Amino acid sequence: MKFFLDTGNVEEARKVAAWGLLDGVTTNPSLVAKEKRGFKEIVLEMCSITPGPVSAEVIAVEASAIIDQAHEIRTWAENVIVKVPLIPEGIKALHVLSGEGIKCNVTLCFSPLQALLAAKNGAAYISPFVGRLDDVGTDGMQLVEEIHTIYQNYGYTTEIIVASARTSMHVLQAAMIGADITTMPFAVMEKLFNHPLTDKGLSSFLADWEKSGLKIG
Ligand code: E4P
């Protein structure tokens, strides 16, 4: 499973890249707005940190304006992906953009039928928002399972990005389902390393070695 970082913060992306775990980045207007920097500047820096896809979202909600913004964003870097919202005008724009060979990540997906619409119109990626569904008392990961089944039934190549991941369990469940990608905040990625028995085991190994007086080399 690929790991994307869900952030507008380039320092976080650098840290994950240094771990060797950064397969791509997703941004959204809210994440970018928090950074108090230019949108294009952030996206370009992200694109230089990872050779993987970096999603940059359009702000328009009408198809022709979405297409114009997508054309602009697409010129920024080789690995930039245009993020379009899952609304009728977004799906209409997707039809044109995918026909032009522009890779799109269709965002704000909350139902399996929405995901089917995106796949039918050639989305490169679909982003089901699992955490936001959990927030309203609906099982977000069940949506991922349903999308996975539908895409397998028909051989769609649209990659599933498990988005709005809030916990390590979301990442584990995504991997068990066989989702292509999970995009997660830095705080979630950091937690994937943790296990108290690892820390306890390492402390006792180091203490025993210290007492022994042994040396490496
Ligand atoms: C996905 O691409 C979105 O940026 C993101 O995962 C939204 O997550 P949130 O629900 O934590 O804002």
PDB file of all heavy atoms in Angstrom, residues 6-7 26-31 55 57 83 105 107-108 127-132 135 161-166 183-185, ligand 1:
ATOM      1  N   ASP A   6      -1.007  13.796   4.002  1.00  0.00           N
ATOM      2  CA  ASP A   6      -2.111  14.739   3.804  1.00  0.00           C
ATOM      3  C   ASP A   6      -1.724  16.029   4.522  1.00  0.00           C
ATOM      4  O   ASP A   6      -1.960  16.163   5.726  1.00  0.00           O
ATOM      5  CB  ASP A   6      -3.377  14.114   4.416  1.00  0.00           C
ATOM      6  CG  ASP A   6      -4.658  14.780   3.956  1.00  0.00           C
ATOM      7  OD1 ASP A   6      -4.682  15.302   2.828  1.00  0.00           O
ATOM      8  OD2 ASP A   6      -5.646  14.761   4.718  1.00  0.00           O
ATOM      9  N   THR A   7      -1.141  16.950   3.780  1.00  0.00           N
ATOM     10  CA  THR A   7      -0.577  18.127   4.447  1.00  0.00           C
ATOM     11  C   THR A   7      -0.303  19.248   3.443  1.00  0.00           C
ATOM     12  O   THR A   7      -0.168  18.997   2.246  1.00  0.00           O
ATOM     13  CB  THR A   7       0.762  17.753   5.147  1.00  0.00           C
ATOM     14  OG1 THR A   7       1.180  18.852   5.963  1.00  0.00           O
ATOM     15  CG2 THR A   7       1.873  17.448   4.163  1.00  0.00           C
ATOM     16  N   THR A  26      -1.142  14.695  -0.591  1.00  0.00           N
ATOM     17  CA  THR A  26      -2.438  15.305  -0.926  1.00  0.00           C
ATOM     18  C   THR A  26      -2.545  16.614  -0.149  1.00  0.00           C
ATOM     19  O   THR A  26      -2.182  16.668   1.028  1.00  0.00           O
ATOM     20  CB  THR A  26      -3.625  14.383  -0.564  1.00  0.00           C
ATOM     21  OG1 THR A  26      -3.492  13.946   0.793  1.00  0.00           O
ATOM     22  CG2 THR A  26      -3.702  13.179  -1.478  1.00  0.00           C
ATOM     23  N   THR A  27      -3.022  17.634  -0.857  1.00  0.00           N
ATOM     24  CA  THR A  27      -3.312  18.899  -0.176  1.00  0.00           C
ATOM     25  C   THR A  27      -4.804  19.164  -0.361  1.00  0.00           C
ATOM     26  O   THR A  27      -5.454  18.512  -1.178  1.00  0.00           O
ATOM     27  CB  THR A  27      -2.509  20.079  -0.770  1.00  0.00           C
ATOM     28  OG1 THR A  27      -2.969  20.334  -2.107  1.00  0.00           O
ATOM     29  CG2 THR A  27      -1.015  19.793  -0.779  1.00  0.00           C
ATOM     30  N   ASN A  28      -5.324  20.090   0.404  1.00  0.00           N
ATOM     31  CA  ASN A  28      -6.682  20.583   0.136  1.00  0.00           C
ATOM     32  C   ASN A  28      -6.681  22.067   0.501  1.00  0.00           C
ATOM     33  O   ASN A  28      -5.713  22.554   1.124  1.00  0.00           O
ATOM     34  CB  ASN A  28      -7.748  19.751   0.880  1.00  0.00           C
ATOM     35  CG  ASN A  28      -7.690  19.884   2.401  1.00  0.00           C
ATOM     36  OD1 ASN A  28      -7.467  20.978   2.922  1.00  0.00           O
ATOM     37  ND2 ASN A  28      -7.902  18.787   3.109  1.00  0.00           N
ATOM     38  N   PRO A  29      -7.714  22.820   0.110  1.00  0.00           N
ATOM     39  CA  PRO A  29      -7.686  24.267   0.353  1.00  0.00           C
ATOM     40  C   PRO A  29      -7.498  24.624   1.830  1.00  0.00           C
ATOM     41  O   PRO A  29      -6.812  25.602   2.153  1.00  0.00           O
ATOM     42  CB  PRO A  29      -9.048  24.733  -0.172  1.00  0.00           C
ATOM     43  CG  PRO A  29      -9.399  23.730  -1.228  1.00  0.00           C
ATOM     44  CD  PRO A  29      -8.879  22.420  -0.716  1.00  0.00           C
ATOM     45  N   SER A  30      -8.088  23.842   2.739  1.00  0.00           N
ATOM     46  CA  SER A  30      -7.956  24.159   4.166  1.00  0.00           C
ATOM     47  C   SER A  30      -6.519  23.940   4.635  1.00  0.00           C
ATOM     48  O   SER A  30      -5.969  24.762   5.391  1.00  0.00           O
ATOM     49  CB  SER A  30      -8.900  23.291   5.001  1.00  0.00           C
ATOM     50  OG  SER A  30     -10.205  23.397   4.518  1.00  0.00           O
ATOM     51  N   LEU A  31      -5.889  22.852   4.210  1.00  0.00           N
ATOM     52  CA  LEU A  31      -4.507  22.566   4.624  1.00  0.00           C
ATOM     53  C   LEU A  31      -3.550  23.630   4.085  1.00  0.00           C
ATOM     54  O   LEU A  31      -2.638  24.076   4.782  1.00  0.00           O
ATOM     55  CB  LEU A  31      -4.076  21.178   4.109  1.00  0.00           C
ATOM     56  CG  LEU A  31      -4.766  19.972   4.756  1.00  0.00           C
ATOM     57  CD1 LEU A  31      -4.433  18.687   3.994  1.00  0.00           C
ATOM     58  CD2 LEU A  31      -4.344  19.833   6.219  1.00  0.00           C
ATOM     59  N   SER A  55      -1.380  16.066  -5.069  1.00  0.00           N
ATOM     60  CA  SER A  55      -2.715  16.550  -5.451  1.00  0.00           C
ATOM     61  C   SER A  55      -2.901  18.011  -5.062  1.00  0.00           C
ATOM     62  O   SER A  55      -2.653  18.388  -3.911  1.00  0.00           O
ATOM     63  CB  SER A  55      -3.808  15.732  -4.753  1.00  0.00           C
ATOM     64  OG  SER A  55      -3.846  14.418  -5.236  1.00  0.00           O
ATOM     65  N   GLU A  57      -5.902  21.053  -5.381  1.00  0.00           N
ATOM     66  CA  GLU A  57      -7.359  21.096  -5.614  1.00  0.00           C
ATOM     67  C   GLU A  57      -7.806  22.382  -6.314  1.00  0.00           C
ATOM     68  O   GLU A  57      -7.351  23.481  -5.965  1.00  0.00           O
ATOM     69  CB  GLU A  57      -8.065  20.947  -4.248  1.00  0.00           C
ATOM     70  CG  GLU A  57      -9.557  20.746  -4.366  1.00  0.00           C
ATOM     71  CD  GLU A  57     -10.150  20.127  -3.088  1.00  0.00           C
ATOM     72  OE1 GLU A  57      -9.400  19.541  -2.284  1.00  0.00           O
ATOM     73  OE2 GLU A  57     -11.369  20.242  -2.912  1.00  0.00           O
ATOM     74  N   LYS A  83      -7.084  17.894  -8.273  1.00  0.00           N
ATOM     75  CA  LYS A  83      -8.135  17.366  -7.407  1.00  0.00           C
ATOM     76  C   LYS A  83      -9.440  18.086  -7.736  1.00  0.00           C
ATOM     77  O   LYS A  83      -9.504  19.319  -7.688  1.00  0.00           O
ATOM     78  CB  LYS A  83      -7.731  17.667  -5.962  1.00  0.00           C
ATOM     79  CG  LYS A  83      -8.030  16.572  -4.973  1.00  0.00           C
ATOM     80  CD  LYS A  83      -7.376  16.942  -3.651  1.00  0.00           C
ATOM     81  CE  LYS A  83      -7.762  16.039  -2.552  1.00  0.00           C
ATOM     82  NZ  LYS A  83      -7.286  16.511  -1.259  1.00  0.00           N
ATOM     83  N   ASN A 105      -7.723  13.464  -9.199  1.00  0.00           N
ATOM     84  CA  ASN A 105      -8.086  12.825  -7.938  1.00  0.00           C
ATOM     85  C   ASN A 105      -9.454  13.393  -7.571  1.00  0.00           C
ATOM     86  O   ASN A 105      -9.591  14.596  -7.333  1.00  0.00           O
ATOM     87  CB  ASN A 105      -7.024  13.177  -6.888  1.00  0.00           C
ATOM     88  CG  ASN A 105      -7.401  12.747  -5.484  1.00  0.00           C
ATOM     89  OD1 ASN A 105      -8.450  12.168  -5.251  1.00  0.00           O
ATOM     90  ND2 ASN A 105      -6.532  13.069  -4.529  1.00  0.00           N
ATOM     91  N   THR A 107     -12.339  14.128  -5.208  1.00  0.00           N
ATOM     92  CA  THR A 107     -12.329  14.278  -3.754  1.00  0.00           C
ATOM     93  C   THR A 107     -13.735  14.477  -3.199  1.00  0.00           C
ATOM     94  O   THR A 107     -14.683  14.724  -3.937  1.00  0.00           O
ATOM     95  CB  THR A 107     -11.397  15.450  -3.366  1.00  0.00           C
ATOM     96  OG1 THR A 107     -11.239  15.450  -1.950  1.00  0.00           O
ATOM     97  CG2 THR A 107     -11.935  16.801  -3.813  1.00  0.00           C
ATOM     98  N   LEU A 108     -13.838  14.346  -1.882  1.00  0.00           N
ATOM     99  CA  LEU A 108     -15.117  14.502  -1.173  1.00  0.00           C
ATOM    100  C   LEU A 108     -16.099  13.408  -1.582  1.00  0.00           C
ATOM    101  O   LEU A 108     -17.283  13.672  -1.824  1.00  0.00           O
ATOM    102  CB  LEU A 108     -15.707  15.901  -1.398  1.00  0.00           C
ATOM    103  CG  LEU A 108     -14.926  17.046  -0.735  1.00  0.00           C
ATOM    104  CD1 LEU A 108     -15.362  18.404  -1.269  1.00  0.00           C
ATOM    105  CD2 LEU A 108     -15.087  17.022   0.787  1.00  0.00           C
ATOM    106  N   SER A 127     -11.069   9.590  -3.709  1.00  0.00           N
ATOM    107  CA  SER A 127     -10.754   9.815  -2.291  1.00  0.00           C
ATOM    108  C   SER A 127     -11.994   9.710  -1.407  1.00  0.00           C
ATOM    109  O   SER A 127     -12.703  10.710  -1.185  1.00  0.00           O
ATOM    110  CB  SER A 127     -10.113  11.200  -2.098  1.00  0.00           C
ATOM    111  OG  SER A 127      -8.823  11.228  -2.652  1.00  0.00           O
ATOM    112  N   PRO A 128     -12.302   8.509  -0.883  1.00  0.00           N
ATOM    113  CA  PRO A 128     -13.354   8.397   0.125  1.00  0.00           C
ATOM    114  C   PRO A 128     -12.854   8.928   1.466  1.00  0.00           C
ATOM    115  O   PRO A 128     -11.765   8.569   1.911  1.00  0.00           O
ATOM    116  CB  PRO A 128     -13.630   6.884   0.197  1.00  0.00           C
ATOM    117  CG  PRO A 128     -12.416   6.221  -0.357  1.00  0.00           C
ATOM    118  CD  PRO A 128     -11.728   7.200  -1.262  1.00  0.00           C
ATOM    119  N   PHE A 129     -13.669   9.775   2.112  1.00  0.00           N
ATOM    120  CA  PHE A 129     -13.277  10.448   3.360  1.00  0.00           C
ATOM    121  C   PHE A 129     -13.769   9.631   4.556  1.00  0.00           C
ATOM    122  O   PHE A 129     -14.874   9.856   5.059  1.00  0.00           O
ATOM    123  CB  PHE A 129     -13.891  11.848   3.400  1.00  0.00           C
ATOM    124  CG  PHE A 129     -13.103  12.914   2.672  1.00  0.00           C
ATOM    125  CD1 PHE A 129     -12.439  12.643   1.484  1.00  0.00           C
ATOM    126  CD2 PHE A 129     -13.048  14.207   3.184  1.00  0.00           C
ATOM    127  CE1 PHE A 129     -11.729  13.637   0.816  1.00  0.00           C
ATOM    128  CE2 PHE A 129     -12.334  15.214   2.523  1.00  0.00           C
ATOM    129  CZ  PHE A 129     -11.680  14.922   1.341  1.00  0.00           C
ATOM    130  N   VAL A 130     -12.963   8.722   5.041  1.00  0.00           N
ATOM    131  CA  VAL A 130     -13.443   7.791   6.075  1.00  0.00           C
ATOM    132  C   VAL A 130     -13.669   8.453   7.436  1.00  0.00           C
ATOM    133  O   VAL A 130     -14.658   8.164   8.112  1.00  0.00           O
ATOM    134  CB  VAL A 130     -12.503   6.561   6.208  1.00  0.00           C
ATOM    135  CG1 VAL A 130     -12.477   5.778   4.904  1.00  0.00           C
ATOM    136  CG2 VAL A 130     -11.095   6.940   6.626  1.00  0.00           C
ATOM    137  N   GLY A 131     -12.771   9.330   7.850  1.00  0.00           N
ATOM    138  CA  GLY A 131     -12.889   9.955   9.172  1.00  0.00           C
ATOM    139  C   GLY A 131     -14.142  10.811   9.284  1.00  0.00           C
ATOM    140  O   GLY A 131     -14.836  10.799  10.307  1.00  0.00           O
ATOM    141  N   ARG A 132     -14.440  11.534   8.202  1.00  0.00           N
ATOM    142  CA  ARG A 132     -15.631  12.406   8.263  1.00  0.00           C
ATOM    143  C   ARG A 132     -16.913  11.573   8.310  1.00  0.00           C
ATOM    144  O   ARG A 132     -17.915  12.018   8.878  1.00  0.00           O
ATOM    145  CB  ARG A 132     -15.644  13.373   7.079  1.00  0.00           C
ATOM    146  CG  ARG A 132     -14.521  14.384   7.163  1.00  0.00           C
ATOM    147  CD  ARG A 132     -14.673  15.517   6.180  1.00  0.00           C
ATOM    148  NE  ARG A 132     -13.420  16.273   6.100  1.00  0.00           N
ATOM    149  CZ  ARG A 132     -13.288  17.401   5.450  1.00  0.00           C
ATOM    150  NH1 ARG A 132     -14.298  17.936   4.813  1.00  0.00           N
ATOM    151  NH2 ARG A 132     -12.114  18.021   5.433  1.00  0.00           N
ATOM    152  N   ASP A 135     -17.267  10.389  11.822  1.00  0.00           N
ATOM    153  CA  ASP A 135     -17.733  11.520  12.650  1.00  0.00           C
ATOM    154  C   ASP A 135     -19.250  11.612  12.712  1.00  0.00           C
ATOM    155  O   ASP A 135     -19.809  12.119  13.683  1.00  0.00           O
ATOM    156  CB  ASP A 135     -17.222  12.861  12.078  1.00  0.00           C
ATOM    157  CG  ASP A 135     -15.735  13.046  12.273  1.00  0.00           C
ATOM    158  OD1 ASP A 135     -15.127  12.290  13.045  1.00  0.00           O
ATOM    159  OD2 ASP A 135     -15.162  13.958  11.623  1.00  0.00           O
ATOM    160  N   ILE A 161      -7.758   6.112  -2.767  1.00  0.00           N
ATOM    161  CA  ILE A 161      -6.992   6.792  -1.719  1.00  0.00           C
ATOM    162  C   ILE A 161      -7.882   6.869  -0.481  1.00  0.00           C
ATOM    163  O   ILE A 161      -8.879   7.611  -0.480  1.00  0.00           O
ATOM    164  CB  ILE A 161      -6.604   8.231  -2.116  1.00  0.00           C
ATOM    165  CG1 ILE A 161      -5.834   8.279  -3.439  1.00  0.00           C
ATOM    166  CG2 ILE A 161      -5.798   8.887  -0.996  1.00  0.00           C
ATOM    167  CD1 ILE A 161      -5.420   9.698  -3.876  1.00  0.00           C
ATOM    168  N   VAL A 162      -7.561   6.113   0.549  1.00  0.00           N
ATOM    169  CA  VAL A 162      -8.316   6.233   1.805  1.00  0.00           C
ATOM    170  C   VAL A 162      -7.933   7.582   2.416  1.00  0.00           C
ATOM    171  O   VAL A 162      -6.774   7.803   2.797  1.00  0.00           O
ATOM    172  CB  VAL A 162      -8.007   5.061   2.757  1.00  0.00           C
ATOM    173  CG1 VAL A 162      -8.691   5.261   4.105  1.00  0.00           C
ATOM    174  CG2 VAL A 162      -8.459   3.751   2.113  1.00  0.00           C
ATOM    175  N   ALA A 163      -8.904   8.502   2.443  1.00  0.00           N
ATOM    176  CA  ALA A 163      -8.633   9.883   2.865  1.00  0.00           C
ATOM    177  C   ALA A 163      -9.361  10.188   4.165  1.00  0.00           C
ATOM    178  O   ALA A 163     -10.218   9.418   4.599  1.00  0.00           O
ATOM    179  CB  ALA A 163      -9.076  10.851   1.775  1.00  0.00           C
ATOM    180  N   SER A 164      -8.982  11.304   4.764  1.00  0.00           N
ATOM    181  CA  SER A 164      -9.535  11.685   6.069  1.00  0.00           C
ATOM    182  C   SER A 164      -9.234  10.591   7.098  1.00  0.00           C
ATOM    183  O   SER A 164     -10.053  10.314   7.976  1.00  0.00           O
ATOM    184  CB  SER A 164     -11.045  11.956   5.918  1.00  0.00           C
ATOM    185  OG  SER A 164     -11.628  12.409   7.102  1.00  0.00           O
ATOM    186  N   ALA A 165      -8.052   9.980   6.967  1.00  0.00           N
ATOM    187  CA  ALA A 165      -7.634   8.946   7.929  1.00  0.00           C
ATOM    188  C   ALA A 165      -7.225   9.646   9.219  1.00  0.00           C
ATOM    189  O   ALA A 165      -6.464  10.608   9.197  1.00  0.00           O
ATOM    190  CB  ALA A 165      -6.463   8.152   7.356  1.00  0.00           C
ATOM    191  N   ARG A 166      -7.756   9.160  10.316  1.00  0.00           N
ATOM    192  CA  ARG A 166      -7.509   9.844  11.592  1.00  0.00           C
ATOM    193  C   ARG A 166      -6.725   8.987  12.569  1.00  0.00           C
ATOM    194  O   ARG A 166      -6.224   9.490  13.558  1.00  0.00           O
ATOM    195  CB  ARG A 166      -8.853  10.187  12.249  1.00  0.00           C
ATOM    196  CG  ARG A 166      -9.802  10.995  11.380  1.00  0.00           C
ATOM    197  CD  ARG A 166      -9.701  12.478  11.692  1.00  0.00           C
ATOM    198  NE  ARG A 166     -10.448  13.275  10.731  1.00  0.00           N
ATOM    199  CZ  ARG A 166     -11.759  13.466  10.783  1.00  0.00           C
ATOM    200  NH1 ARG A 166     -12.474  12.924  11.737  1.00  0.00           N
ATOM    201  NH2 ARG A 166     -12.347  14.223   9.871  1.00  0.00           N
ATOM    202  N   THR A 183      -3.923   8.221   2.546  1.00  0.00           N
ATOM    203  CA  THR A 183      -3.319   9.528   2.800  1.00  0.00           C
ATOM    204  C   THR A 183      -3.621   9.903   4.238  1.00  0.00           C
ATOM    205  O   THR A 183      -4.754   9.765   4.706  1.00  0.00           O
ATOM    206  CB  THR A 183      -3.795  10.609   1.799  1.00  0.00           C
ATOM    207  OG1 THR A 183      -2.983  11.772   1.997  1.00  0.00           O
ATOM    208  CG2 THR A 183      -5.265  10.984   1.935  1.00  0.00           C
ATOM    209  N   MET A 184      -2.570  10.311   4.953  1.00  0.00           N
ATOM    210  CA  MET A 184      -2.758  10.536   6.396  1.00  0.00           C
ATOM    211  C   MET A 184      -1.970  11.765   6.861  1.00  0.00           C
ATOM    212  O   MET A 184      -0.941  12.107   6.265  1.00  0.00           O
ATOM    213  CB  MET A 184      -2.311   9.294   7.175  1.00  0.00           C
ATOM    214  CG  MET A 184      -0.866   8.934   6.996  1.00  0.00           C
ATOM    215  SD  MET A 184      -0.512   7.229   7.497  1.00  0.00           S
ATOM    216  CE  MET A 184      -0.349   6.433   5.902  1.00  0.00           C
ATOM    217  N   PRO A 185      -2.443  12.380   7.951  1.00  0.00           N
ATOM    218  CA  PRO A 185      -1.683  13.485   8.528  1.00  0.00           C
ATOM    219  C   PRO A 185      -0.366  12.957   9.106  1.00  0.00           C
ATOM    220  O   PRO A 185      -0.250  11.766   9.415  1.00  0.00           O
ATOM    221  CB  PRO A 185      -2.584  14.008   9.647  1.00  0.00           C
ATOM    222  CG  PRO A 185      -3.901  13.360   9.477  1.00  0.00           C
ATOM    223  CD  PRO A 185      -3.700  12.129   8.672  1.00  0.00           C
TER     224      PRO A 185
HETATM  225  C1  E4P B   1      -7.972  14.247   1.337  1.00  0.00           C
HETATM  226  O1  E4P B   1      -7.370  14.362   0.305  1.00  0.00           O
HETATM  227  C2  E4P B   1      -8.250  15.337   2.268  1.00  0.00           C
HETATM  228  O2  E4P B   1      -7.236  16.300   2.168  1.00  0.00           O
HETATM  229  C3  E4P B   1      -8.245  14.921   3.696  1.00  0.00           C
HETATM  230  O3  E4P B   1      -7.896  13.568   3.872  1.00  0.00           O
HETATM  231  C4  E4P B   1      -9.325  15.464   4.548  1.00  0.00           C
HETATM  232  O4  E4P B   1      -9.137  15.021   5.867  1.00  0.00           O
HETATM  233  P1  E4P B   1      -9.908  15.650   7.120  1.00  0.00           P
HETATM  234  O5  E4P B   1     -11.274  15.068   7.153  1.00  0.00           O
HETATM  235  O6  E4P B   1      -9.088  15.202   8.293  1.00  0.00           O
HETATM  236  O7  E4P B   1      -9.914  17.127   6.908  1.00  0.00           O
END
